[in-house]
Amino acid sequence: MSGTSGTSGAAHEGAAIAVIGVATLFPQAGSLDEFRANLRAGRDSVRAMPPERAEACCQDPSVDYPHQGYLDRIDLFDHEFFGLSRREAEITDPQHRLALQLTHEALENAGYATSRMRDTRTAVVFSSPTNGYAPLVREVGTLSMIGNIPCGLPTRVSHLFGFTGPCYGVDTGCNGSLVAVHHAARELRDADADFAVVGGVSVRHVVPPAATVGAFPGIASPTARCRAFDEGADGAAAGEGGAVLLLTTLERALDEGAFIHAVIRGSAVVHNGRHSATIATPSAKSQAEAIRRAWRNAGLDLSAAGYVEAHGSGTRLGDAVEVEGLALARSGTANAHAPLPIGSVKTNLGHLDHAAGIAGLVKTVLSVRHAELYPTLHFTRPAEDVDLNAARLDVVTSRRPWESDVRRAGVSSFSLGGVNAHCVVEQPPALPGVQPPSRRPQLILVSARSAEDLVTLCGRLSLELRDRPRRLADVALTLNEGRDHYPHRLGVIARTVPDLALKLAAQVTWWRLEGVPAAGGASSAPRVVLLLSGDATGAPAGEGAPLPGPLPLPDGPAARVRAQLAAYARLKEAGVTVAGLISSGVSRYAVRYLQGRLTAADTRSLERARNARSGGPEGTRTDGARTGDGGADEIYGGPLRPDRLRAAVEEQLASGPAVFVELAARGEISDQLSRHLHGRSDALVTTLGEDTEDVLEVLRLLYEAGLDLNWESLRTDTGPGPKPRRAPLPGHPFRGCAAGPGRPATSSASTAWAAPPPGSSRRHPCNRLRPYRSWSPARRLPSSGPWLPQRGCRPRPVPLSEPVPMIPWRMADPDRPSTATSSTVRRRRPVPRRRPLPPPSPVVSRSYRWQSRSRSRSRSRSRSRSPTPAPTRTPSPSRSRGPVTSRSRRRSPRPGPGRPTHPATRRRTACCPAARTPPMYCRGCGRLLPSCCTPTKCRPRQTTSPSAATPSSRSSSSSAY
């Protein structure tokens, strides 16, 4: 795909990649529609830190933080929705959590249920910056490791959603997300995956003070404004956010009726190589090569471009080189002298680091889809080194419509390491003519995990359907088959989209006044028992097909049984699981036929009864026998016996709640049960009614009770016309639950952190997370961090001047002045430097080096305490120059770094009163033993007294050991 050979457009027509799902979270834009509204309005989302962000992350309000493209909250996460515990969510990087949420939203935006995407060949390619969250988490283990390494982000997405395609991360710098799109498209073109989830996220866990911006001159803007291509360009402000796209081939998208936002025709990735002076210097030649190669891979000429989303870093050198690269790429094209509109989304959001490339791609997708160009902010006059006129480039400064009929655009993104990426985007294909919608009733199903979520979702759907025209069949396909179904449910029967929007709004109003009923769900779904009365009237599912041969019935009973069998088939087609059948009269033969218990004797009895009723007025049968009407009544069944009916009903209810459905408009069984079960909470009696809409009403009741249906059977537009297509509709809302440590109140001075509330347990976040040392540009980030409050704990920033009692364990910092007393702070023991060891002697085995080191240190301490000469050490006779046995190679643990003595020596000192007696060692294992312990297999290795030592013996002993 990134090769240099050209390819015809016909060859790439089937290889085009469709963008079928989009989910975004940008500063001051929680959805794709809000992001588009901000682009249209020319809104600059770079701002001061929001108060809710500072409060949630425990930031010090007195510190001056730089203006950035902040997200309102980065600590909120609905961990229960994804099946994660709160503990695992707290130690997981917020970038991972954001990727999970955006992936789910992208699937719902595309109209694909997450349960149906399980075990599909879906590739997952993500890009995220270097993690800054791991130092804030105290817990060390597998969960925290997986939750804070870059490769854990795509693998977590694949694991939780059940994707089985290729899965990897991309880290090429600030264009990593656009390079991820390049690789995801290649996975689809190579048929290694059927779908691809691709995206980029960037969250700044640690926000340094505003004074640190000056450490990056020319890159970080001191004015916190990105002025791409402007004479006042001085860098870019930082930003946060992310986006996730769901991709598939254009052919598959058209076959499955997916909504297509845009089409990716081609892409390319090129490195500067040696074309730049340094690794961080941009190269106009390499950028031009990446642009030409991407359009060549798309089978198009750059002259067909109507817009280019530039990298727009807002630096003097970067803008000048990018303009030169565009001019080189356009040289020699057919339309090189026409002005080409360009822009940069960084002027709206700031620099999103690894998510910057996909942010520009999403902006371009909206542009080609809606045929509008969005303004680039803070541009007044080009810089001296940026010659826009010579390059025939036009910076878009106001919103305007797209001029050409065929809308194609390019997206450029470059990294600090010299990686250049470019992508070609085209408008979605025109759909076939839409026929006038039918006014047949349609059952629309909506569900959520909680009552509050259901009210919120219905309100959003009502507004969406009110403001935008949709086909009712498309809405039904998306909500019925393209969404997962949760316990709290609502079914609505509508004939038009405005009718559906009105009913949803009315239902939301009633819920807010009366409350939402209890949830159903698969675990509490009632059993369905069908009633087939012998005197049933009405045919809600039609007259049905002719009766089968084993059921010879006269015309009157035959019509009733045909209608009941048709209604039974309709419910079975809709996915209703039948738990029981109760019948009366002639319908008992229909029940036997459905259960496979109809015998030949039953068929002969029905034939005799039919012949008796079809005979002469005297009741003469064709076989010559005479029978009265009473004989036929006995065959068809006598009157209904209430006692037996009640016994059968109680037997059904003994197994759990049940819904009794009469397969007609009315019947004697449903009439009896309505009176018998009136007021029972575990039973419901209903009838199918007179027409098709009444059948849908029963299906709605069963769905709201918790029964899952066959969604495909609910389609109404199944004729030869255009098939229904999926529509981008609002998805399930997420509940915000604070998870994970917050951010420190960073400043150039030290910061004291509040202790946990009195009486709190060790599970309190204050007691689980390590303190955070203040950040400064000259200090490396430490491996600790502050705590984030859980439910019921509201944090407050602590001023530096206020004395605060500190947590007793692991809170003392020798570099930080503290007002806490010694009773609340455990002082750290000074760590002595390790002294150089003498070279080991070949006489002593390797297993005794630590003993020599320990003895040497003991001698040094004894010399420092006493002016008397050190004792002479005589080697033990057992330490001869012989082969080292396997037992002698057993080694005790080496003394840890910074410890003055070996642990065995400290144990001996603690348990033995004679701490200064000559040490004793085990003959078998060589371990140091207390002097008070004299095992049978142990004897002293040191036999000389301390007073007999001489300097010469000391030196010889040091060289020997």
Side-chain angles (χ1 to χ4, degrees):
M1 191 176 140
S2 57
T4 57
S5 60
T7 308
S8 63
H12 281 266
E13 184 66 27
I17 305 303
V19 181
I20 61 176
V22 182
T24 62
L25 180 62
F26 293 129
Q28 297 183 323
S31 63
L32 186 64
D33 293 337
E34 294 180 2
F35 180 50
R36 182 194 171 202
N38 291 346
L39 292 175
R40 289 170 57 90
R43 185 176 186 178
D44 186 1
S45 298
V46 176
R47 51 178 175 159
M49 181 179 292
E52 57 271 18
R53 168 71 176 272
E55 181 181 1
C57 298
C58 301
Q59 303 287 163
D60 188 352
S62 62
V63 176
D64 183 20
Y65 295 101
H67 286 218
Q68 296 181 5
Y70 290 103
L71 296 177
D72 291 336
R73 298 287 294 271
I74 64 172
D75 60 316
L76 300 181
F77 180 61
D78 195 348
H79 60 92
E80 295 179 353
F81 187 88
F82 297 98
L84 300 178
S85 65
R86 179 163 185 144
R87 167 175 166 264
E88 185 175 1
E90 287 178 346
I91 62 179
T92 301
D93 185 358
Q95 296 179 141
H96 295 210
R97 307 196 297 242
L98 178 59
L100 290 175
Q101 178 176 328
L102 292 178
T103 300
H104 187 274
E105 292 179 356
L107 293 176
E108 287 193 328
N109 180 263
Y112 286 87
T114 56
S115 58
R116 297 195 177 191
M117 294 293 290
R118 191 179 302 273
D119 295 330
T120 59
R121 296 195 316 150
T122 302
V124 178
V125 189
F126 267 89
S127 179
S128 61
T130 303
N131 177 267
Y133 188 76
L136 308 180
V137 180
R138 179 180 182 273
E139 180 176 345
V140 178
T142 304
L143 286 180
S144 60
M145 179 188 67
I146 295 296
N148 290 276
I149 55 178
C151 68
L153 192 153
T155 54
R156 185 183 296 273
V157 171
S158 294
H159 172 71
L160 292 181
F161 289 92
F163 301 144
T164 60
C167 176
Y168 50 89
V170 175
D171 186 4
T172 59
C174 51
N175 65 347
S177 55
L178 195 63
V179 177
V181 172
H182 167 76
H183 285 280
R186 188 167 58 182
E187 300 288 352
L188 296 173
R189 290 193 176 98
D190 293 343
D192 290 336
D194 298 329
F195 297 90
V197 174
V198 57
V201 292
S202 177
V203 173
R204 303 184 182 273
H205 314 89
V206 179
V207 182
T212 61
V213 175
F216 304 93
I219 297 178
S221 172
T223 60
R225 291 294 179 268
C226 180
R227 300 175 175 87
F229 312 108
D230 189 73
E231 62 178 355
D234 55 358
E240 298 176 323
V244 173
L245 307 180
L246 180 62
L247 309 179
T248 188
T249 59
L250 181 60
E251 181 181 2
R252 179 184 294 273
L254 295 175
D255 292 342
E256 297 187 1
F259 182 87
I260 302 175
H261 295 266
V263 178
I264 299 176
R265 286 294 180 183
S267 59
V269 177
V270 174
H271 191 265
N272 291 341
R274 299 289 293 179
H275 297 156
S276 57
T278 65
I279 189 175
T281 305
S283 171
K285 180 179 180 180
S286 300
Q287 293 180 7
E289 176 62 22
I291 295 173
R292 285 194 295 258
R293 189 178 297 184
W295 285 86
R296 186 165 55 245
N297 292 337
L300 301 170
D301 189 79
L302 185 55
S303 60
Y307 174 76
V308 170
E309 175 66 20
H311 182 69
S313 61
T315 63
R316 293 295 185 91
L317 177 61
D319 292 345
V321 173
E322 184 171 8
V323 169
E324 182 182 356
L326 283 171
L328 289 176
R330 298 187 67 200
S331 61
T333 59
N335 200 19
H337 298 288
L340 176 63
I342 63 173
S344 176
V345 74
K346 291 181 178 62
T347 61
N348 302 89
L349 305 176
H351 198 315
L352 301 189
D353 209 353
H354 285 50
I358 202 167
L361 179 59
V362 171
K363 174 187 173 182
T364 309
V365 166
L366 292 174
S367 182
V368 298
R369 173 186 166 188
H370 298 285
E372 53 190 9
L373 298 178
Y374 305 112
T376 298
L377 309 182
H378 315 306
F379 180 82
T380 56
R381 188 168 56 185
E384 296 180 359
D385 299 334
V386 178
D387 195 348
L388 297 177
N389 295 329
R392 297 293 182 181
L393 300 177
D394 177 25
V395 178
V396 180
T397 57
S398 61
R399 182 169 59 90
R400 61 193 186 193
W402 201 290
E403 295 180 358
S404 59
D405 296 333
V406 180
R407 302 184 292 275
R408 297 188 179 98
V411 183
S412 296
S413 187
F414 314 126
S415 73
L416 195 63
V419 181
N420 311 288
H422 191 81
C423 184
V424 180
V425 184
E426 187 180 76
Q427 69 184 80
L431 299 178
V434 180
Q435 295 181 350
S438 63
R439 298 185 63 85
R440 297 177 57 185
Q442 178 72 54
L443 177 60
I444 311 297
L445 308 174
V446 186
S447 66
R449 290 188 305 139
S450 66
E452 296 78 7
D453 294 341
L454 184 59
V455 174
T456 302
L457 179 58
C458 290
R460 293 178 181 176
L461 289 173
S462 176
L463 295 177
E464 175 72 17
L465 299 176
R466 182 199 66 180
D467 299 335
R468 298 184 180 179
R470 306 278 187 190
R471 287 201 313 163
L472 185 61
D474 298 345
V475 176
L477 173 65
T478 304
L479 297 180
N480 295 354
E481 303 181 37
R483 298 291 171 86
D484 292 320
H485 296 276
Y486 302 100
H488 291 265
R489 302 181 173 189
L490 171 67
V492 178
I493 301 175
R495 295 179 179 269
T496 61
V497 172
D499 182 26
L500 175 61
L502 183 61
K503 289 184 177 181
L504 288 175
Q507 189 65 55
V508 169
T509 303
W510 295 332
W511 277 339
R512 289 174 177 172
L513 295 176
E514 301 176 356
V516 184
S523 59
S524 60
R527 304 165 68 251
V528 179
V529 180
L530 302 183
L531 308 178
L532 290 82
S533 300
D535 63 342
T537 59
E543 295 296 333
L547 290 177
L551 289 176
L553 295 174
D555 294 340
R560 290 195 296 270
V561 173
R562 284 202 310 270
Q564 290 173 342
L565 293 179
Y568 177 85
R570 180 69 180 94
L571 293 182
K572 292 290 291 184
E573 181 186 7
V576 177
T577 302
V578 179
L581 296 170
I582 300 179
S583 61
S584 67
V586 70
S587 298
R588 62 179 177 172
Y589 293 100
V591 172
R592 295 176 185 177
Y593 171 77
L594 294 174
Q595 295 177 343
R597 298 187 297 106
L598 187 66
T599 63
D602 295 334
T603 302
R604 290 193 296 269
S605 299
L606 291 176
E607 289 179 350
R608 288 196 300 270
R610 182 186 62 180
N611 295 335
R613 289 198 173 188
S614 62
E618 298 176 357
T620 303
R621 297 182 52 177
T622 56
D623 57 0
R626 292 183 59 86
T627 178
D629 293 339
D633 293 340
E634 292 179 359
I635 294 175
Y636 292 150
L640 180 64
R641 298 179 56 180
D643 54 342
R644 298 185 60 180
L645 175 62
R646 294 173 182 175
V649 169
E650 294 300 332
E651 181 181 358
Q652 293 290 342
L653 293 177
S655 301
V659 177
F660 299 91
V661 181
E662 180 74 63
L663 298 182
R666 63 153 303 276
E668 57 181 353
I669 301 180
S670 59
D671 293 342
Q672 290 280 349
L673 294 184
S674 298
R675 294 188 295 267
H676 173 61
L677 300 176
H678 180 70
R680 293 279 296 267
S681 59
D682 58 344
L684 175 65
V685 182
T686 183
T687 62
L688 285 185
E690 296 286 349
D691 53 14
T692 306
E693 189 169 354
D694 295 334
V695 177
L696 294 179
E697 182 66 25
V698 173
L699 295 178
R700 181 191 68 82
L701 292 176
L702 296 178
Y703 172 76
E704 292 181 354
L707 189 69
D708 290 332
L709 305 176
N710 181 14
W711 320 118
E712 296 180 358
S713 66
L714 301 178
R715 296 184 182 180
T716 56
D717 296 347
T718 57
K723 296 181 180 180
R725 310 189 66 86
R726 306 174 194 269
L729 298 175
H732 193 286
F734 290 100
R735 305 179 218 166
C737 180
R743 308 304 177 269
T746 56
S747 65
S748 57
S750 302
T751 303
W753 292 93
S760 62
S761 65
R762 291 187 62 87
R763 294 182 58 85
H764 192 274
C766 296
N767 293 328
R768 289 205 307 264
L769 303 173
R770 294 182 293 185
Y772 187 87
R773 295 174 59 184
S774 60
W775 191 95
S776 66
R779 178 180 294 177
R780 181 176 57 88
L781 285 178
S783 58
S784 57
W787 53 274
L788 180 74
Q790 289 184 350
R791 193 173 302 170
C793 175
R794 185 178 182 87
R796 66 180 183 89
V798 181
L800 301 179
S801 59
E802 180 180 345
V804 181
M806 303 179 67
I807 303 176
W809 48 276
R810 299 195 68 178
M811 283 294 288
D813 192 338
D815 299 332
R816 177 190 300 179
S818 174
T819 58
T821 61
S822 59
S823 61
T824 59
V825 178
R826 189 179 68 183
R827 301 183 181 276
R828 295 184 178 179
R829 179 180 300 175
V831 180
R833 297 182 178 178
R834 300 187 62 177
R835 301 175 182 176
L837 300 177
S841 174
V843 178
V844 184
S845 64
R846 296 172 56 188
S847 61
Y848 292 111
R849 291 182 184 177
W850 65 270
Q851 298 174 5
S852 302
R853 211 182 320 160
S854 177
R855 295 170 184 171
S856 180
R857 292 175 181 171
S858 300
R859 289 194 300 272
S860 300
R861 287 194 300 272
S862 64
R863 286 196 302 268
S864 62
R865 287 193 300 265
S866 175
T868 60
T872 303
R873 301 187 58 185
T874 302
S876 175
S878 63
R879 307 190 67 173
S880 60
R881 295 174 179 265
V884 180
T885 62
S886 61
R887 299 182 58 132
S888 65
R889 281 194 291 265
R890 299 179 184 174
R891 302 176 59 187
S892 299
R894 289 180 178 269
R899 294 182 177 178
T901 58
H902 191 269
T905 306
R906 292 196 297 176
R907 287 197 299 270
R908 181 175 68 88
T909 304
C911 69
C912 181
R916 296 186 179 181
T917 57
M920 304 180 66
Y921 302 90
C922 177
R923 180 188 303 178
C925 63
R927 295 185 179 180
L928 179 66
L929 298 175
S931 300
C932 59
C933 303
T934 56
T936 57
K937 291 186 178 181
C938 295
R939 66 183 183 85
R941 293 285 184 93
Q942 188 175 2
T943 58
T944 60
S945 61
S947 61
T950 61
S952 61
S953 64
R954 267 200 318 270
S955 60
S956 62
S957 175
S958 299
S959 62
Y961 289 89

